[in-house]
């Protein structure tokens, strides 16, 4: 019975005595099962239902509302307890229209063995007669201000409450307009609303506004006003009546709630500690205070250790060391401030000490007294500022977040004459709590970001060299702090035969995990490149490594992790290229990475596209290598997608812009590299950016010599002699003996164990390289011969004499090589 409303009985038109007269009520007797047992004549008249049709039927059929068994059971229990029940409910007349009746249910009684209830009802008809004295008292003493204005909007009548609100005596108001009496109360707007009411005849309700009055000229009040027309018997509008209520407390509470809600969007927009502190100060001035300072503990700003005190870490120093992190004032330049932003401060409102920061609550000083002995002795500079600028009220709130002490925020009023009140402390506490959480987030992020940047910097190459084959330059631009440290990397790897490997990659994700993964992949590329793997095979092994790294985070087998898509990170992209300065050929393969850019010596720009393999970490798909020829002094560039995929253009446009910038021939390579990055990415981006440029050089015929090797042991002596003469002609006479031994061992092994054709080649580069190529795919193995063995020491001697040595496979066999440092 949702519509039931329990209320006292209302008087009827028969006079006050009728309140106590129930003889005319409609009555019925109803059993505990809800069956009508008795029906009076008054009930027949009220509902138009004769007793013959009603007795024996369900009482629920008489209601003009849905049944509520739970409520009915509750009423029955109350009546069984002997207390009875009354309320206002709708019943249905025989012709269908509802009737609101005052219903009373008696305490239960028994008729024979049946439990019964006596129910009486009276139609609700309210007709109040109010005496003139009652009406006059209501109008004059109502807590709502009331006034009547004539058609010229002049006061005709007003009550005592309105006179008290405005502070203007009644005799001064009568016959004058509101705009003449209270110009600071939006009088023109209010009079405009009155005219609209007279013109349209429609009332205006709950118009809220803020202003001052002569009753309290130093404080703004908020009012809610309703206007309605006054109409005479012939429907002519004779004036306007308005009612006004002082809603300052409600208005203030709503404004403060709105301010706290807005603070959530205005404070903490960046992950920067100092910026967040300044946002708090700027937000609170002048909304809440005239002068705000935010002081943070020194470790919070320096990011040492955890960056602050822990609230349970024991006693703190008597004078906390803080630095001013932010401040704002209604006065330009913050002349009230004793310390500037960045300076060291130790301010805690006397007589409080550092314990206030650890376990104290907000401090409210409604009235600041600069002559107070504590302020004069402990804070003399601040006491002088109070006197000079009229600082008269203060709230200091400790900044704490996640069991960590961060600092202290102080709110001060000077130009605003209203002192801080206890309710303002709750607002200050909420503002500081929100800012403290943002400061702590920024502090933690800054610490992690610094660690990630340090890790990333340590993992990137500190110096790059392309030998005589390439002139190289690089530029790396980390992501802006909000984007987090990424996993972009690049490298230049010297290879055998004067060749150089170039690699650029991008690990998906940000943070320390991405930086650490980048380091592991860079190390893996260096290792695989040293093993002389061609680009496509190198990427295949790198793909397997990424799968294993992903599986480590899920605990699954690599193939199962790839199949289920449950890898801990999505993977990486990579492009690996090998440049040979002797043939001027560049072999490359890529795994989901953008193609390289090539600028020919004549300025033509191209983007050769090796087959686009899948990103690393997907598994199950192969990679293909392709080869291009680079003219001498060509520019070869590798980059990550952050360089060409800016927000204001797509990848294709970015690649075109990159080619145009790199086609300039008048710039030094380092300057060209940095200039291209700066022009393509003028502002911080949410992703890392890497650009690696290489200008190619070729080894001439005078630097390379080769001979066919007959399959005859007797030919070894002749080849040794040729190699010795060639080395001497290059000016490396001191390397003649070691070169003779290396050539002898490598050529002898090839004749003895390999398959023809066999070829010997000497290369003069930054090192002296000796290569022996054959058609066999069997790789040599370094053995440690026993003391009684007659052979097996050849490669061991080569390893001892050479700076480094190794083997690499080719399309037709393999090459054994050994390098010597040149004088």
């Amino acid at each position: 019975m949702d519509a039931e409303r329990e209320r006292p009985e209302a008087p009827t038109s028969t006079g006050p005595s009728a309140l106590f007269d129930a003889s005319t009520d409609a009555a019925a007797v109803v059993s505990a099962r809800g069956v009508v047992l008795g029906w009076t004549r008054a009930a027949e008249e009220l509902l138009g239902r004769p007793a013959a049709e009603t007795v024996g039927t369900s009482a629920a059929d008489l209601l003009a509302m849905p049944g509520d068994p739970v409520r009915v059971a509750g009423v029955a229990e109350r009546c069984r307890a002997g207390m009875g029940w009354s309320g206002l409910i709708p019943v249905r007349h025989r012709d269908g229209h509802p009737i609101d009746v005052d219903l009373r249910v008696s305490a239960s009684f028994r008729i024979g063995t049946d439990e019964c209830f006596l129910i009486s009802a009276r139609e609700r008809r309210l007709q109040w007669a109010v005496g003139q004295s009652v009406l006059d008292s209501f109008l004059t003493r109502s807590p709502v201000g009331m006034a009547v204005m004539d058609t010229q909007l002049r006061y005709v009548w007003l009550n005592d409450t309105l006179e008290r609100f405005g502070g203007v005596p009644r005799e001064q108001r009568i016959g004058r307009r509101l705009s003449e009496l209270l110009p600071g109360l939006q009088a023109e707007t209010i009079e405009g609303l009155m005219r609209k009411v007279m013109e349209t005849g429609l009332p205006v309700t709950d118009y809220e506004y803020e202003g001052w009055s002569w009753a309290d000229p130093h404080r703004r009040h908020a009012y809610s006003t309703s206007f309605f027309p006054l109409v005479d018997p012939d429907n002519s509008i004779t004036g306007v009546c308005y009612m006004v209520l002082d809603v300052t407390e409600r208005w203030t509470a709503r404004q403060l709630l709105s301010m706290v809600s807005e603070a959530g969007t205005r404070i903490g927009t960046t992950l920067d500690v100092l910026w967040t502190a300044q946002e708090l100060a700027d937000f609170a001035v002048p909304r809440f205070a005239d002068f705000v300072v935010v002081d943070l503990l020194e470790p919070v700003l320096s990011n040492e250790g955890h960056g602050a005190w822990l609230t349970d870490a024991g006693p703190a120093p008597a004078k906390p060391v803080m630095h001013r992190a932010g401040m704002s004032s209604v006065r330009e330049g913050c002349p009230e401030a004793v310390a500037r932003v960045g300076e060291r401060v130790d301010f805690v409102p006397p007589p409080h000490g550092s314990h206030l920061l650890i376990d104290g609550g907000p401090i409210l000083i409604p009235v600041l007294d600069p002559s107070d002995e504590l302020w004069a002795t402990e804070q003399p500079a601040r006491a002088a500022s109070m006197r000079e600028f009229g600082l008269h009220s203060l709230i200091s709130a400790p900044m704490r977040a996640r069991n960590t002490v961060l600092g202290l925020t102080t709110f001060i009023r000077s130009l605003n004459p209203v002192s801080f009140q206890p309710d303002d402390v709750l607002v200050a506490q909420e503002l500081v709590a929100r800012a403290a959480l943002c400061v702590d987030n920024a502090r933690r992020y800054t610490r992690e970001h610094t660690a990630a940047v340090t890790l990333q910097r340590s993992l990137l190459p500190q110096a790059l060299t392309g030998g005589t084959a390439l002139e190289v330059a690089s530029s790396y631009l980390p992501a802006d702090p909000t984007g987090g440290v990424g996993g972009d990397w690049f490298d230049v790897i010297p290879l055998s035969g004067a060749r150089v490997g170039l690699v650029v990659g991008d690990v998906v994700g940000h943070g320390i995990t991405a930086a650490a993964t980048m380091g592991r992949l860079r190390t893996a590329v260096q290792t695989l490149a040293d093993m002389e793997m061609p680009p496509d095979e190198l990427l295949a092994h790198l793909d397997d490594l990424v799968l294993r790294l992903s599986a480590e985070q899920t605990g699954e087998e690599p193939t199962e992790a790839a199949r289920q898509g449950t890898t801990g990170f999505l993977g990486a992209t990579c492009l690996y290229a090998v440049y040979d300065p002797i043939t001027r050929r560049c072999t490359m393969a890529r795994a989901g990475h953008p193609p390289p850019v090539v600028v020919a010596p004549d300025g033509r720009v191209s983007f050769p596209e090796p087959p686009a393999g899948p990103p690393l970490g997907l598994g199950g798909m192969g990679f293909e290598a392709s080869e291009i020829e680079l003219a001498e002094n060509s520019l070869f560039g590798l980059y990550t997608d952050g360089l060409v995929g800016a927000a204001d253009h797509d990848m294709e446009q970015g690649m075109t812009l990159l080619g145009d910038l790199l086609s300039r021939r008048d710039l030094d390579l380092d300057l060209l590299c940095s200039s291209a990055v700066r022009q393509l990415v003028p502002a911080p981006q949410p992703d890392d950016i890497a650009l690696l440029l290489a200008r190619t050089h070729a080894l001439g015929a005078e630097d390379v010599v080769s001979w066919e090797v007959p399959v005859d042991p007797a030919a070894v002596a002749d080849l040794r002699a040729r190699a010795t003469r060639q080395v001497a002609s290059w000016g490396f006479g001191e390397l003649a003996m070691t070169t003779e031994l290396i050539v002898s061992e490598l050529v002898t092994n090839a004749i003895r164990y390999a398959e023809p054709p066999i070829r010997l080649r000497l290369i003069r580069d930054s090192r002296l390289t000796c290569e022996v190529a054959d058609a066999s795919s069997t790789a040599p193995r370094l053995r440690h011969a026993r003391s009684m063995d007659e052979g097996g020491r050849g490669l061991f001697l080569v390893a001892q004499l050479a700076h480094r040595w190794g083997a690499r496979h080719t399309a037709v066999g393999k090459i054994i090589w050994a390098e010597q440092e040149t004088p």
Side-chain angles (χ1 to χ4, degrees), residues 250-336:
R250 185 180 73 191
W251 177 283
T252 303
R254 191 166 61 215
Q255 293 295 103
L256 293 177
L257 182 62
S258 175
M259 180 177 67
V260 171
S261 176
E262 185 183 358
T265 61
R266 298 284 297 276
I267 301 174
T269 59
T270 67
L271 289 171
D272 183 273
V273 172
L274 290 175
W275 191 274
T276 302
Q278 188 60 46
E279 284 179 334
L280 170 60
D282 290 339
F283 179 81
V285 175
R287 290 179 178 85
F288 184 66
D290 299 322
F291 178 49
V292 176
V293 294
V294 182
D295 300 329
L296 298 180
L297 291 170
E298 191 173 46
V300 175
L301 300 172
S302 64
N303 284 304
E304 296 175 357
H306 285 284
W309 301 335
L310 298 178
T311 56
D312 55 359
K319 284 290 186 180
V321 178
M322 297 186 289
H323 285 265
R324 180 127 311 160
M327 66 179 179
S328 184
S329 171
V330 292
R331 299 177 175 88
E332 186 176 357
C334 300
E336 312 97 320

Side-chain angles (χ1 to χ4, degrees), residues 38-60:
W39 193 251
T40 65
R41 186 175 299 278
E44 290 182 356
E45 294 176 355
L46 178 65
L47 298 183
R49 298 173 183 267
E53 295 178 6
T54 309
V55 174
T57 62
S58 173

Side-chain angles (χ1 to χ4, degrees), residues 690-711:
L691 175 62
L692 177 63
L693 296 183
R695 182 163 286 139
T696 63
H697 301 296
L699 288 182
E702 68 278 7
D703 296 316
V704 181
V705 61
S706 63
W707 301 278
E708 292 289 342
V709 178
V711 186

